């Protein structure tokens, strides 16, 4: 009752190439299933690699943020130290330690060469606290040492190398203690 229609031409040639029967459906399904499994497995492995790369980048970002915070704290601490060293009182104290004195009244020259103002000399320094290395070497033979405080004003004239050698005392220079840095929270 069921009769196959006769195929002609191109359709007949195609029909001869394909096998007739039941195993044809099973054979075509196996490569398709294998392809789907390979694509799903490859996709999962690709997602795993992508997720690992993103989490590694996240860890690096956290490390860089922490390092940036530490460097910012260090920069602020250094800026505080610079501000402390450049404060007028600190500059004045260090200048006095180096034997410098405040200048007298200044005088100015106008473009025509005329002097304006009456200049006055700076007051003489009472005692320099910094001595040349040669003076220290000649005074190192003495038994006792005199160390003036860097924070006190000298009360009298400082011993010169000739008077110090004659009296047998040595004069040693003092160095100013650097300001202690303020600890930064979080370090």
């Amino acid at each position: 009752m069921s009769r196959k229609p006769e195929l002609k031409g191109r359709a007949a040639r195609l029909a001869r190439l394909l096998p007739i029967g039941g195993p044809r459906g099973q054979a075509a399904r196996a490569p398709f299933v294998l392809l789907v499994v390979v694509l799903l497995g490859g996709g999962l492995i690709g997602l795993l690699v992508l997720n690992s790369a993103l989490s590694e980048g996240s860890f690096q970002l956290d490390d860089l943020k922490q390092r940036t915070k530490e460097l910012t704290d260090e920069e602020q601490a250094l800026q505080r130290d610079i501000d402390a060293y450049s404060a007028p009182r600190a500059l004045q104290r260090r200048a006095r330690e180096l034997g410098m004195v405040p200048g007298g009244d200044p005088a100015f020259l106008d473009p025509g060469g005329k002097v304006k103002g009456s200049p006055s000399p700076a007051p003489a320094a009472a005692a320099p606290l910094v001595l040349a290395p040669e003076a220290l070497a000649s005074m190192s033979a003495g038994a006792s040492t005199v160390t003036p405080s860097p924070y006190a004003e000298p009360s009298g004239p400082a011993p010169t190398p000739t008077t110090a050698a004659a009296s047998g005392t040595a004069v040693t220079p003092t160095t100013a203690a650097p300001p202690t840095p303020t600890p930064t929270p979080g370090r």
Side-chain angles (χ1 to χ4, degrees):
M1 290 230 216
S2 95
R3 210 172 152 201
K4 280 187 163 180
E6 292 280 330
L7 299 174
K8 296 182 181 175
R10 185 174 183 198
R13 284 186 299 223
L14 284 175
R16 276 186 259 147
L17 291 175
L18 296 174
I20 299 173
R24 180 179 133 218
Q26 298 249 347
R29 223 178 286 172
F32 177 73
V33 170
L34 183 63
L35 177 67
V36 169
V37 168
V38 167
L39 287 176
L40 286 176
L44 287 175
I45 290 173
L47 284 175
L48 179 65
V49 168
L50 181 64
N51 191 17
S52 297
L54 288 176
S55 65
E56 181 181 347
S58 175
F59 285 129
Q60 287 177 349
L61 181 64
D62 289 342
D63 290 342
L64 290 174
K65 283 182 180 179
Q66 179 65 29
R67 179 73 176 139
T68 301
K69 182 181 177 294
E70 290 171 1
L71 289 174
T72 302
D73 291 345
E74 184 178 347
E75 178 190 13
Q76 290 173 353
L78 290 172
Q79 187 62 44
R80 279 194 305 269
D81 290 346
I82 290 172
D83 292 342
Y85 280 121
S86 63
R89 286 192 187 265
L91 289 175
Q92 181 183 16
R93 179 181 48 81
R94 292 194 62 223
R96 285 190 191 275
E97 289 171 1
L98 293 173
M100 300 173 99
V101 294
D105 293 330
F108 301 97
L109 292 176
D110 65 1
K114 185 177 177 186
V115 177
K116 291 187 176 183
S118 59
S120 65
L129 295 177
V130 179
L131 298 176
E134 302 85 32
L136 290 175
S138 67
M139 291 187 281
S140 63
S144 64
T145 60
V146 176
T147 307
S149 170
Y151 300 107
E153 291 290 323
S155 58
T160 61
T162 57
T163 59
S167 66
T169 60
V171 178
T172 59
T174 59
T175 58
T180 56
T182 317
T184 304
R187 281 210 225 170

